[in-house]
Amino acid sequence: MEDNSERANLIEEDYYTFLNIPREATTEDINNAYRRNSRLYHPDKHVDPVLKKEAEILFNKTKKAYEVLSDPHQRAIYDSLGTRGLETEGWEIVQRTKTPQEIREEYERLAREREERKLQQRTNPKGSVTVNINATDLFSRYRDDFDYDEMEHMHFPIIEVSGMSITQSIEAPLTLRDTMTMAGQLSTQNGTGSGSVDVSVRRLLSEKGWVELDVGAGNGPTFSIKGFRTLTKRTFSNMATIFQFTPHGIRPGLVTTLATQLDKHTVGYLTWRAGIQSFMSTVVVRDTPTSHAAFAIQFGIPHSFISVSYTHKLQEMEMKLRGSIKAGTFGAIAEYGAEKKVSQHSWLAASVSVGIPSGVTLKIKLSRANQTYIFPIHLSDELIPSPVFYATITPVVVWAVVKRLVVDPIVREQKERDKEKQRELNKTRMAEKKREARAAVELMRATFARVRSEEEAKRGLVIIKALYGRLVNVADVSRRGTSGEDGSVETDTEYVDEVIDVMIPLQCLVKDSKLILHEASKSHLPGFYDPCVGEEKSLLVHYLFHSHVHEVTVEDNEPLRIPKQSHRVNAT
């Protein structure tokens, strides 16, 4: 995986941006862009040997971009896999008789096969560890009937581990259709332990269904057959037949579920279970990008209940807020909490459960990749304010302190390491891109002078300043800079290492007093390069149109169209 990510970070040629055309460009757009770059970089236009050699490099790059994008077959491969797809590995299986769409489908099929092969090489381990903690002694001193005469017998509160459960499973792909899963579970509660082991084999019958055979041992041997089937486009069902062997005989069971998609975001489930803990339940789940809601009602033996839950997803903060209410023959429980993403593969959650007769429980949950660690902390057997208050406030305070002192420094350090690693991976390529950009600017000077002279003569679009890179204080450029004789803005030296001057390349792209840049990283434009790999970049442009000063700043991948009236700088 690390090798793949490193290759993904390496700079790859963007032929569309180099020709300054959109990805949906027509044949005419490609031809026009090729002719424009050919006139600019043709070696015969340069007498100086050094410039002639540089022109040959850029002219050959222009030809390569044109050859790829003008050929529907090569363009289909390039769109799917980039320049790597155009190498030997990509062309070995390509038949020239195939259409571009067939080529894309062929590569998608090969990609799926590669993923299936990878699946066979990994066991996909999953597991969870649950540690039950009894901390009721912390709040027993706050009973209403507390006798202050007993203060001399006060003792430190006792916090103990009352139980523990460990589950683990691994998958073993046997064929492309068959998968074996082995799972085990161990638990202990108040000194009494139990365990179980389960082996299942699932066979994919078709895209619409599968069948699974399970054999387990623990509290007596168990045997079950499960199946899944898609009935219609919106409906599916699954069924499981279970046989549990006990000293008193065989206990059969049957579980069946029918589900249907009610709308784009809502699914309804109807489940019936007979034999072992019989019940019938109805569940409606609505899941959207910003929320998740569920309603359930169950009638059964020994318990019946009704429950409602809601989760609000704060995507920008990578956080989820949850709340639920459940009431039935066992009592009532209200739960609220939050879940926060702390790293790329880790989530941390805390929730408070308040119920009758269960009392107050604080649950801490850490999910790391495929492993989950759960810590239910039982604070009180009764509903009293103090454990509810501390269970709510303590996780928030602890998280704020840990985030500031531990998490934030680690995240910053990791980002810096990633940026440095990316810089090292691109170091050689960046030096080449930098040299190529400077050479392109030298080759553009004659064209720049001609285009600028034409635009000035008709009071058209004249670029007077253009900066590209990490403009940290871009809002202060105008205030802190000083105006040059041509109206341009002179900036402080702090931008030298992370910003490049791209006035000449942009002016050369002006046609009929218009400049259009498409939605892509501008570092691939002729005369550009990435001055700060891994950092957020912007493009700042000051230009004259009809002798009026205009100013605009866009993000690296944001399209740009000028001139615009909204860019005009009002004179003071």
Side-chain angles (χ1 to χ4, degrees):
M1 292 298 294
E2 185 175 348
D3 292 339
N4 292 335
S5 62
E6 289 181 1
R7 283 197 296 269
N9 286 330
L10 291 174
I11 298 173
E12 192 172 271
E13 297 291 352
D14 187 335
Y15 292 145
Y16 289 100
T17 305
F18 182 75
L19 296 179
N20 194 30
I21 56 177
R23 299 193 73 85
E24 63 275 8
T26 63
T27 302
E28 183 180 359
D29 294 333
I30 297 171
N31 291 336
N32 291 337
Y34 172 68
R35 285 194 292 268
R36 182 182 65 243
N37 278 22
S38 295
R39 288 194 297 268
L40 193 61
Y41 303 127
H42 201 288
D44 294 343
K45 296 185 63 176
H46 303 279
V47 179
D48 184 279
V50 176
L51 291 179
K52 193 178 187 70
K53 185 175 181 181
E54 297 292 351
E56 288 178 356
I57 296 174
L58 290 168
F59 183 68
N60 289 334
K61 185 175 179 179
T62 300
K63 286 201 302 182
K64 179 63 176 177
Y66 173 74
E67 290 172 359
V68 171
L69 300 184
S70 62
D71 185 321
H73 296 81
Q74 293 194 55
R75 185 176 179 180
I77 296 174
Y78 175 74
D79 288 345
S80 299
L81 294 177
T83 53
R84 290 186 295 111
L86 300 172
E87 297 170 0
T88 305
E89 179 182 358
W91 282 100
E92 284 176 347
I93 61 167
V94 173
Q95 299 178 17
R96 299 292 292 181
T97 56
K98 290 189 175 182
T99 66
Q101 180 61 31
E102 289 174 333
I103 292 175
R104 290 188 176 94
E105 292 174 354
E106 179 77 0
Y107 272 105
E108 291 173 359
R109 182 186 64 80
L110 292 174
R112 287 195 299 270
E113 288 185 357
R114 284 195 297 270
E115 290 301 317
E116 289 172 349
R117 286 195 296 270
K118 290 179 181 179
L119 180 63
Q120 296 180 35
Q121 297 171 358
R122 63 173 184 260
T123 58
N124 191 25
K126 296 179 182 179
S128 67
V129 177
T130 301
V131 180
N132 296 284
I133 300 174
N134 186 351
T136 55
D137 202 36
L138 282 172
F139 299 96
S140 63
R141 294 172 295 170
Y142 300 108
R143 297 192 310 267
D144 293 337
D145 59 348
F146 182 76
D147 187 354
Y148 289 93
D149 293 335
E150 298 179 0
M151 289 188 63
E152 60 183 36
H153 302 293
M154 291 286 288
H155 61 277
F156 288 106
I158 298 175
I159 300 176
E160 60 181 3
V161 176
S162 59
M164 181 178 292
S165 175
I166 301 174
T167 64
Q168 188 71 34
S169 68
I170 58 172
E171 293 181 359
L174 305 177
T175 67
L176 294 179
R177 289 180 173 270
D178 300 313
T179 302
M180 176 184 290
T181 301
M182 293 172 284
Q185 185 263 342
L186 289 173
S187 63
T188 177
Q189 187 71 30
N190 296 325
T192 303
S194 63
S196 64
V197 62
D198 184 85
V199 178
S200 64
V201 178
R202 175 178 296 184
R203 181 171 181 81
L204 184 65
L205 301 176
S206 67
E207 294 181 354
K208 294 185 176 182
W210 50 260
V211 64
E212 182 176 291
L213 176 65
D214 291 346
V215 177
N219 187 18
T222 60
F223 174 80
S224 66
I225 300 176
K226 302 176 182 178
F228 171 88
R229 177 71 179 177
T230 300
L231 304 177
T232 67
K233 187 177 181 180
R234 291 177 173 269
T235 306
F236 67 87
S237 69
N238 55 47
M239 180 180 293
T241 301
I242 306 168
F243 298 94
Q244 184 176 14
F245 298 86
T246 69
H248 305 288
I250 300 177
R251 297 179 61 191
L254 176 67
V255 182
T256 180
T257 298
L258 178 67
T260 183
Q261 187 169 359
L262 303 176
D263 61 33
K264 182 179 180 181
H265 300 289
T266 309
V267 180
Y269 301 87
L270 180 63
T271 303
W272 175 61
R273 179 167 184 164
I276 306 171
Q277 294 183 344
S278 301
F279 68 83
M280 176 174 284
S281 69
T282 300
V283 181
V284 178
V285 178
R286 181 171 178 81
D287 192 11
T288 69
T290 58
S291 66
H292 178 92
F295 170 80
I297 182 169
Q298 175 177 308
F299 299 98
I301 300 173
H303 293 303
S304 298
F305 65 85
I306 183 172
S307 68
V308 178
S309 66
Y310 179 79
T311 300
H312 186 63
K313 305 173 184 177
L314 303 173
Q315 295 181 339
E316 294 183 357
M317 300 176 61
E318 296 183 318
M319 189 175 182
K320 300 176 182 178
L321 302 178
R322 292 192 174 98
S324 67
I325 299 176
K326 186 175 182 180
T329 55
F330 57 85
I333 298 175
E335 185 172 334
Y336 57 91
E339 185 175 3
K340 170 70 176 174
K341 186 176 183 179
V342 294
S343 69
Q344 183 177 359
H345 303 290
S346 301
W347 286 82
L348 181 63
S351 62
V352 180
S353 175
V354 180
I356 300 173
S358 58
V360 182
T361 301
L362 169 64
K363 183 164 68 175
I364 307 296
K365 178 181 177 182
L366 173 63
S367 300
R368 173 68 178 172
N370 291 328
Q371 299 295 315
T372 303
Y373 305 91
I374 305 172
F375 302 90
I377 306 172
H378 192 196
L379 300 177
S380 173
D381 293 320
E382 301 175 287
L383 288 182
I384 52 179
S386 53
V388 177
F389 174 79
Y390 286 108
T392 303
I393 297 300
T394 303
V396 177
V397 175
V398 171
W399 167 247
V401 174
V402 171
K403 183 177 184 299
R404 185 176 182 83
L405 300 181
V406 180
V407 176
D408 287 348
I410 292 176
V411 170
R412 286 196 297 269
E413 184 179 352
Q414 182 62 44
K415 287 183 177 179
E416 289 301 320
R417 285 202 301 266
D418 292 343
K419 290 177 182 178
E420 185 61 31
K421 185 176 182 180
Q422 191 173 355
R423 291 190 187 101
E424 288 298 321
L425 289 171
N426 289 289
K427 191 173 183 179
T428 303
R429 182 67 178 129
M430 277 304 305
E432 180 186 342
K433 292 286 289 183
K434 187 175 182 179
R435 183 197 61 77
E436 181 184 289
R438 290 178 174 175
V441 170
E442 291 300 316
L443 296 171
M444 292 176 182
R445 291 191 180 277
T447 301
F448 163 76
R450 176 180 58 79
V451 173
R452 181 158 183 164
S453 177
E454 292 174 354
E455 293 295 326
E456 287 176 338
K458 59 183 180 181
R459 298 174 64 229
L461 180 58
V462 179
I463 309 295
I464 56 178
K465 195 70 175 182
L467 301 176
Y468 173 68
R470 187 169 178 261
L471 301 173
V472 179
N473 298 317
V474 68
D476 299 330
V477 172
S478 298
R479 290 196 300 270
R480 295 188 292 105
T482 57
S483 299
E485 295 180 358
D486 58 355
S488 63
V489 176
E490 304 297 332
T491 61
D492 291 348
T493 56
E494 69 174 283
Y495 295 110
V496 172
D497 294 333
E498 297 184 325
V499 171
I500 58 175
D501 187 341
V502 291
M503 179 184 65
I504 292 177
L506 286 187
Q507 186 70 68
C508 290
L509 292 174
V510 172
K511 183 179 180 182
D512 298 329
S513 297
K514 294 179 182 178
L515 173 62
I516 300 175
L517 302 181
H518 302 283
E519 188 176 358
S521 175
K522 296 165 182 61
S523 61
H524 298 284
L525 287 167
F528 283 63
Y529 67 92
D530 192 339
C532 47
V533 176
E535 303 285 353
E536 297 290 333
K537 290 172 282 292
S538 304
L539 174 63
L540 170 67
V541 183
H542 287 249
Y543 63 93
L544 293 175
F545 184 68
H546 291 171
S547 301
H548 295 295
V549 178
H550 294 65
E551 176 185 345
V552 62
T553 301
V554 295
E555 298 302 318
D556 187 26
N557 290 285
E558 187 179 349
L560 174 66
R561 290 176 178 267
I562 57 176
K564 281 188 177 181
Q565 180 65 26
S566 59
H567 299 163
R568 182 171 173 176
V569 178
N570 296 324
T572 56

